[in-house]
Amino acid sequence: MVRKKRSDQSSEGESSRPQQSGSAGRGGAAPTQQSTGGYQGGGRGWGPPAQQGGRGGYSGERGGAQRGVPQQQHGEQFGYQGRGAHPQGRGGTLPQRRSGGVSGGDVGVGQGVDPSAGHFTPPVPELHQAGQPSYHARPTVAAMLSGNPVQVQVEAGFSTPTSEQAESSLVTQQFQQLTFQEGQSSQALQPMPASSKAVKFPLRPGKGSNGIRCIVKANHFFAELPDKDLHQYDVSIIPEVTSRGVNRAVMGQLVKLYRESHLGKRLPAYDGRKSLYTAGPLPFISNEFKITLVDEDDGSVAPRRERDFRVVIKLAARVDLHHLGMFLQGRQADAPQEALQVLDIVLRELPTTRYSPVGRSFYSPNLGRRQPLGEGLESWRGFYQSIRPTQMGLSLNIDMSSTAFIEPLPVIDFVTELLNRDVSSRPLSDADRVKIKKALRGVKVEVTHRGNMRRKYRISGLTSQATRELTFPVDERGTMKSVVEYFRETYGFIIQHNQWPCLQVGNQQRPNYLPMEVCKIVEGQRYSKRLNERQITALLRVTCQRPQEREKDILQTVRHNSYHTDPYAQEFGIKIDEKLASVEARVLPAPWLKYHDTGREKNCLPQVGQWNMMNKKMVNGGTVNNWICINFARNVQDHQARSFCAELAQMCHISGMVFSGDPVLPVITARPDQVEKALKARFHEAISVLRPNNKELDLLIVILPDNNGSLYGDLKRICETELGVVSQCCLTKHVFRMNKQYLANVALKINVKVGGRNTVLVDALSRRIPLVSDRPTIIFGADVTHPHPGEDSSPSIAAVVASQDWPEVTKYAGLVSAQAHRQELIQDLYKTWDDPKKGQVSGGMIKELLVSFRKSTGHKPQRIIFYRDGVSEGQFYQVLLYELDAIRKACASLEHNYQPPVTFVVVQKRHHTRLFPNNHNDRNSVDRSGNILPGTVVDSKICHPTEFDFYLCSHAGIQGTSRPAHYHVLWDENNFSADELQSLTNNLCYTYARCTRSVSIVPPAYYAHLAAFRARFYMEPENSDSGSMTSGTAGVRVGVGPSAAPGRSTRFPATNAAVRPLPPLMDNVKWRMYYC
């Protein structure tokens, strides 16, 4: 080793299958102040009804009489009571609503917020339920909470006369000279209470009964609640260290030395930080211990390092298990998080010493065969473990898991795998050096050139010079010696790869140089950066298990963990059942789907979650009169491209679209590295042909190479934010195969992109969907996608979609916004800002989508259903308080007293509950992949003790074990019954536009994910992967006018840096399902 002296410091293209995208954790920091920037443009009020047109796939147009059912008349005056008119007034005590529920603990601290800063409460306004609308069949009681009123500017009177016309020409153009009214709302929206306990989640409104009853097994294991007197102690280790491993080593030594003499023979459980738990009191209130840690033997003859620590243990509190028991029985509202946390820590103690802990999972090379993932990585098998409160009592959720670890290779071999070539054949390029540095930074290595001495170091970087050029001073006089010479003279080691850089270890002030060939990577280091596509595919192959195999592995893991002999579980009196929980379930029926009357099959009943387009025509075929094709694939000849386009046009025609057989211009071939030039040139050529005849380009078909790098994203960005044309990308391999099924799936996507509908629920047309068909209902989907691990400053992307047709509920418009890094709360739902001419102006995603719904259907939404994807349990209160309040304000800004009732449902896919058939050999209870049948719903036993949640497996499995979606209702002013919400959610899963299969999560949430994923391509190329967002306005979204406005800025808690706005979507793309 050479120490430098201190004085010397220096995609694949589109497909009909759901897209998979690696996504970072969902946790985000809560905002410290409400954002005021980010919305640009926006509506001044309700718009007039749009002219209805287009081909109908059934008798009657939107809003008209449907299939012989008389049209319901909806008065345009809503008849809402203002909040001040409520008989209780603002300060009175209100009765509980029927669906009022359990209030949880205080708002948790989001990731990225320093917990040591104290309790963190985001200043978001208090929730208030909608006033009772005159039309509502099942009235709700408004749960108005006290607080100081906050006035909301009402910019758009719908039922009142206008006071002036909007001045902005942009607003005039976008909203067809919609009118607005100045003045204050008579409603007072109230600020958030000091504690989130003022909010109640809805209670379960009874269990569902629809569907065929059956039994399924769940990977939940009953845990008997211990009858012990639990105590919590604060632990201070001095000097303080950040490593949990060192903390555990200190406490392990303390227990070993003092358990019998000073700890009353108790075996404590330790969280690795500041808390220690015991089953019964220790024989002291406070005590101090001195512990010496000796470094592990590294094989050297030198004496091992000893470190002295002072440990102070002080009684903090008693942990009350009685309240946990009450909560599990449904007799107490609040979940006692402290008690659950203690039990979780106790059950994690033993596996933490045996395996490598990662989050709530444990991994080991001994839990299954290691599998190479490529580029120096391998997968380790492991298991996830979490204790959960459920209706059956405490439950231990166990699931199988795999993740990537760095292979414990000599660094030279690692670099060879990383670069995937013989590294001795040619010198390293600058790109090679960057890749090596990125992969190795932070990795721990051990030296191999000193016999048995295996000292460990952490890599901080690479030297800029080659090893043969490196010198360092060996004495105070500044005598220099080369690294090559030093290793030869000191260790007799001849450096072979002297043209390579050295590893730099230690800190930057006193860096040490180690040649790569004397270092080996230490085993057991998880790889936390982003995996490439090949590695993701390899990892999925490893984790993909058929249900029967997965169930077997889970049971084997539980037996292997042997909880009945776990000394910590025994100490605390925790008993774990070793059998999977048997759970009552129901299989909901598939809905009938409507297709066009001119097709041979007018209606279709899906079988086991799937169907096809044979003998069917789209219910509303779109029109593509004018299209062009550009081919970026070098190996596709012009005649092949022409032939493919002709087949695709024919398939679109057969499927029910009006699709011209000939393009506006002949197919051309262009170079992938000139995508922008080629697209713009060809687009303007086509426009020059079409414009004289008042025609527009309807579609761009693009043929891409199979491995197209950034080409796909660049193309989408240019088409959707610069040219204003929807595009359909097709990979070369599909052009050559020309498979009919593929062409049919592409036709489905093209149809919705140009404004058509593929299918509609029969019950929607006959107005038979409870709490949707009876009055105009808008269904929202929302999601936030975060940057990949390692991208420390890229913004998060929020997307909100909303249905734009009623009663069909199949077309969804989507808006997207960039916001602060890892911010989970959607900042742009509702915005106000000061306009130099108009004063305070309001807008935001919700407002614009409500106005758009009104323009396209002719109705104001009289009910809102909001499916919110990607929220973890710890963020339920934060998200509900902030986002429901934004919905309320958006509605109030459109019209006095306009507060349609809202149902707010969180959709979770990132959980570890799996459902298995009770009998894997019963062909009537499994699909072709061996999974439970689509439509299987569970709302008992493994669900929340009191709140309104359910698991729904709405899709048929393809490979591996199906993951049911978990739906948790956080707010319900529409008073859904369990059957109504479960059936609606399941039926909507059959309306997903991109394939003829039911999908795993409700389509609005799915579309929001697709829109957010698409918007990442809109970021400037230098910022799309990593790097700092340096300019622009925070929270500015796509598609709402100019991209910046004067005098607006938004600050976020995690970083006060501004976020560069996304480029706005072009208007002729914005209201189409361009993201499909």
Side-chain angles (χ1 to χ4, degrees), residues 18-38:
Q19 292 187 13
Q20 298 292 329
S21 68
S23 177
R26 297 270 182 176
T32 54
Q33 67 178 59
Q34 186 173 347
S35 163
T36 56

PDB file of all heavy atoms in Angstrom, residues 18-38:
ATOM      1  N   PRO A  18     -47.735  -4.693 -20.608  1.00  0.00           N
ATOM      2  CA  PRO A  18     -47.430  -3.605 -19.683  1.00  0.00           C
ATOM      3  C   PRO A  18     -45.936  -3.373 -19.584  1.00  0.00           C
ATOM      4  O   PRO A  18     -45.151  -4.304 -19.560  1.00  0.00           O
ATOM      5  CB  PRO A  18     -47.985  -4.128 -18.355  1.00  0.00           C
ATOM      6  CG  PRO A  18     -49.004  -5.145 -18.737  1.00  0.00           C
ATOM      7  CD  PRO A  18     -48.534  -5.740 -20.015  1.00  0.00           C
ATOM      8  N   GLN A  19     -45.546  -2.098 -19.518  1.00  0.00           N
ATOM      9  CA  GLN A  19     -44.128  -1.782 -19.391  1.00  0.00           C
ATOM     10  C   GLN A  19     -43.660  -2.055 -17.981  1.00  0.00           C
ATOM     11  O   GLN A  19     -44.360  -1.827 -17.025  1.00  0.00           O
ATOM     12  CB  GLN A  19     -43.888  -0.297 -19.687  1.00  0.00           C
ATOM     13  CG  GLN A  19     -44.125   0.043 -21.135  1.00  0.00           C
ATOM     14  CD  GLN A  19     -43.701   1.474 -21.399  1.00  0.00           C
ATOM     15  OE1 GLN A  19     -43.045   2.087 -20.592  1.00  0.00           O
ATOM     16  NE2 GLN A  19     -44.078   1.986 -22.536  1.00  0.00           N
ATOM     17  N   GLN A  20     -42.432  -2.560 -17.886  1.00  0.00           N
ATOM     18  CA  GLN A  20     -41.797  -2.721 -16.586  1.00  0.00           C
ATOM     19  C   GLN A  20     -40.741  -1.654 -16.469  1.00  0.00           C
ATOM     20  O   GLN A  20     -39.989  -1.425 -17.382  1.00  0.00           O
ATOM     21  CB  GLN A  20     -41.131  -4.104 -16.475  1.00  0.00           C
ATOM     22  CG  GLN A  20     -42.112  -5.249 -16.592  1.00  0.00           C
ATOM     23  CD  GLN A  20     -43.056  -5.319 -15.415  1.00  0.00           C
ATOM     24  OE1 GLN A  20     -42.705  -4.950 -14.317  1.00  0.00           O
ATOM     25  NE2 GLN A  20     -44.258  -5.781 -15.636  1.00  0.00           N
ATOM     26  N   SER A  21     -40.677  -1.006 -15.362  1.00  0.00           N
ATOM     27  CA  SER A  21     -39.620  -0.027 -15.185  1.00  0.00           C
ATOM     28  C   SER A  21     -39.126  -0.092 -13.773  1.00  0.00           C
ATOM     29  O   SER A  21     -39.893  -0.142 -12.845  1.00  0.00           O
ATOM     30  CB  SER A  21     -40.119   1.368 -15.482  1.00  0.00           C
ATOM     31  OG  SER A  21     -41.037   1.766 -14.538  1.00  0.00           O
ATOM     32  N   GLY A  22     -37.794  -0.141 -13.653  1.00  0.00           N
ATOM     33  CA  GLY A  22     -37.223  -0.101 -12.325  1.00  0.00           C
ATOM     34  C   GLY A  22     -37.565   1.228 -11.705  1.00  0.00           C
ATOM     35  O   GLY A  22     -37.475   2.254 -12.303  1.00  0.00           O
ATOM     36  N   SER A  23     -38.016   1.161 -10.522  1.00  0.00           N
ATOM     37  CA  SER A  23     -38.377   2.393  -9.880  1.00  0.00           C
ATOM     38  C   SER A  23     -37.779   2.432  -8.509  1.00  0.00           C
ATOM     39  O   SER A  23     -37.680   1.443  -7.828  1.00  0.00           O
ATOM     40  CB  SER A  23     -39.895   2.471  -9.796  1.00  0.00           C
ATOM     41  OG  SER A  23     -40.303   3.611  -9.136  1.00  0.00           O
ATOM     42  N   ALA A  24     -37.400   3.638  -8.120  1.00  0.00           N
ATOM     43  CA  ALA A  24     -36.809   3.770  -6.811  1.00  0.00           C
ATOM     44  C   ALA A  24     -37.879   3.706  -5.768  1.00  0.00           C
ATOM     45  O   ALA A  24     -39.054   3.686  -6.028  1.00  0.00           O
ATOM     46  CB  ALA A  24     -36.056   5.073  -6.724  1.00  0.00           C
ATOM     47  N   GLY A  25     -37.464   3.674  -4.519  1.00  0.00           N
ATOM     48  CA  GLY A  25     -38.401   3.618  -3.411  1.00  0.00           C
ATOM     49  C   GLY A  25     -39.345   4.790  -3.455  1.00  0.00           C
ATOM     50  O   GLY A  25     -39.050   5.842  -3.969  1.00  0.00           O
ATOM     51  N   ARG A  26     -40.481   4.597  -2.854  1.00  0.00           N
ATOM     52  CA  ARG A  26     -41.521   5.591  -3.003  1.00  0.00           C
ATOM     53  C   ARG A  26     -41.482   6.670  -1.932  1.00  0.00           C
ATOM     54  O   ARG A  26     -42.252   7.584  -1.927  1.00  0.00           O
ATOM     55  CB  ARG A  26     -42.879   4.913  -2.918  1.00  0.00           C
ATOM     56  CG  ARG A  26     -43.063   3.919  -4.047  1.00  0.00           C
ATOM     57  CD  ARG A  26     -43.679   4.597  -5.200  1.00  0.00           C
ATOM     58  NE  ARG A  26     -43.914   3.669  -6.281  1.00  0.00           N
ATOM     59  CZ  ARG A  26     -44.515   3.994  -7.385  1.00  0.00           C
ATOM     60  NH1 ARG A  26     -44.927   5.194  -7.596  1.00  0.00           N
ATOM     61  NH2 ARG A  26     -44.687   3.116  -8.314  1.00  0.00           N
ATOM     62  N   GLY A  27     -40.703   6.495  -0.977  1.00  0.00           N
ATOM     63  CA  GLY A  27     -40.699   7.445   0.121  1.00  0.00           C
ATOM     64  C   GLY A  27     -40.257   8.806  -0.333  1.00  0.00           C
ATOM     65  O   GLY A  27     -39.381   8.965  -1.135  1.00  0.00           O
ATOM     66  N   GLY A  28     -40.881   9.842   0.184  1.00  0.00           N
ATOM     67  CA  GLY A  28     -40.482  11.193  -0.150  1.00  0.00           C
ATOM     68  C   GLY A  28     -40.615  12.098   1.031  1.00  0.00           C
ATOM     69  O   GLY A  28     -41.367  11.858   1.949  1.00  0.00           O
ATOM     70  N   ALA A  29     -39.882  13.165   1.038  1.00  0.00           N
ATOM     71  CA  ALA A  29     -39.951  14.100   2.143  1.00  0.00           C
ATOM     72  C   ALA A  29     -41.217  14.921   2.039  1.00  0.00           C
ATOM     73  O   ALA A  29     -41.653  15.305   0.980  1.00  0.00           O
ATOM     74  CB  ALA A  29     -38.738  15.005   2.096  1.00  0.00           C
ATOM     75  N   ALA A  30     -41.835  15.189   3.166  1.00  0.00           N
ATOM     76  CA  ALA A  30     -43.024  16.020   3.175  1.00  0.00           C
ATOM     77  C   ALA A  30     -42.628  17.472   3.038  1.00  0.00           C
ATOM     78  O   ALA A  30     -41.580  17.875   3.472  1.00  0.00           O
ATOM     79  CB  ALA A  30     -43.771  15.807   4.479  1.00  0.00           C
ATOM     80  N   PRO A  31     -43.471  18.275   2.422  1.00  0.00           N
ATOM     81  CA  PRO A  31     -43.076  19.647   2.177  1.00  0.00           C
ATOM     82  C   PRO A  31     -43.161  20.486   3.438  1.00  0.00           C
ATOM     83  O   PRO A  31     -44.024  20.277   4.271  1.00  0.00           O
ATOM     84  CB  PRO A  31     -44.111  20.118   1.155  1.00  0.00           C
ATOM     85  CG  PRO A  31     -45.291  19.282   1.423  1.00  0.00           C
ATOM     86  CD  PRO A  31     -44.788  17.975   1.929  1.00  0.00           C
ATOM     87  N   THR A  32     -42.292  21.455   3.554  1.00  0.00           N
ATOM     88  CA  THR A  32     -42.343  22.319   4.714  1.00  0.00           C
ATOM     89  C   THR A  32     -43.220  23.522   4.460  1.00  0.00           C
ATOM     90  O   THR A  32     -43.590  24.226   5.359  1.00  0.00           O
ATOM     91  CB  THR A  32     -40.936  22.807   5.095  1.00  0.00           C
ATOM     92  OG1 THR A  32     -40.347  23.400   3.942  1.00  0.00           O
ATOM     93  CG2 THR A  32     -40.077  21.672   5.554  1.00  0.00           C
ATOM     94  N   GLN A  33     -43.557  23.764   3.223  1.00  0.00           N
ATOM     95  CA  GLN A  33     -44.509  24.824   2.943  1.00  0.00           C
ATOM     96  C   GLN A  33     -45.228  24.484   1.665  1.00  0.00           C
ATOM     97  O   GLN A  33     -44.757  23.734   0.845  1.00  0.00           O
ATOM     98  CB  GLN A  33     -43.807  26.172   2.821  1.00  0.00           C
ATOM     99  CG  GLN A  33     -42.873  26.260   1.595  1.00  0.00           C
ATOM    100  CD  GLN A  33     -42.243  27.627   1.516  1.00  0.00           C
ATOM    101  OE1 GLN A  33     -41.578  28.035   2.431  1.00  0.00           O
ATOM    102  NE2 GLN A  33     -42.479  28.327   0.451  1.00  0.00           N
ATOM    103  N   GLN A  34     -46.430  25.021   1.533  1.00  0.00           N
ATOM    104  CA  GLN A  34     -47.187  24.711   0.330  1.00  0.00           C
ATOM    105  C   GLN A  34     -46.571  25.387  -0.865  1.00  0.00           C
ATOM    106  O   GLN A  34     -46.226  26.545  -0.839  1.00  0.00           O
ATOM    107  CB  GLN A  34     -48.640  25.167   0.493  1.00  0.00           C
ATOM    108  CG  GLN A  34     -49.479  24.712  -0.709  1.00  0.00           C
ATOM    109  CD  GLN A  34     -50.932  24.991  -0.494  1.00  0.00           C
ATOM    110  OE1 GLN A  34     -51.328  25.293   0.602  1.00  0.00           O
ATOM    111  NE2 GLN A  34     -51.722  24.902  -1.526  1.00  0.00           N
ATOM    112  N   SER A  35     -46.447  24.594  -1.911  1.00  0.00           N
ATOM    113  CA  SER A  35     -45.865  25.134  -3.133  1.00  0.00           C
ATOM    114  C   SER A  35     -46.820  26.130  -3.764  1.00  0.00           C
ATOM    115  O   SER A  35     -48.015  25.927  -3.793  1.00  0.00           O
ATOM    116  CB  SER A  35     -45.615  23.976  -4.088  1.00  0.00           C
ATOM    117  OG  SER A  35     -45.430  24.449  -5.372  1.00  0.00           O
ATOM    118  N   THR A  36     -46.271  27.209  -4.269  1.00  0.00           N
ATOM    119  CA  THR A  36     -47.127  28.176  -4.943  1.00  0.00           C
ATOM    120  C   THR A  36     -46.788  28.335  -6.409  1.00  0.00           C
ATOM    121  O   THR A  36     -47.438  29.054  -7.125  1.00  0.00           O
ATOM    122  CB  THR A  36     -47.003  29.567  -4.287  1.00  0.00           C
ATOM    123  OG1 THR A  36     -45.627  29.934  -4.312  1.00  0.00           O
ATOM    124  CG2 THR A  36     -47.503  29.527  -2.861  1.00  0.00           C
ATOM    125  N   GLY A  37     -45.750  27.687  -6.853  1.00  0.00           N
ATOM    126  CA  GLY A  37     -45.361  27.827  -8.255  1.00  0.00           C
ATOM    127  C   GLY A  37     -45.702  26.593  -9.013  1.00  0.00           C
ATOM    128  O   GLY A  37     -46.095  25.593  -8.481  1.00  0.00           O
ATOM    129  N   GLY A  38     -45.536  26.662 -10.295  1.00  0.00           N
ATOM    130  CA  GLY A  38     -45.576  25.435 -11.051  1.00  0.00           C
ATOM    131  C   GLY A  38     -46.691  25.340 -12.034  1.00  0.00           C
ATOM    132  O   GLY A  38     -46.558  24.673 -13.030  1.00  0.00           O
TER     133      GLY A  38
END
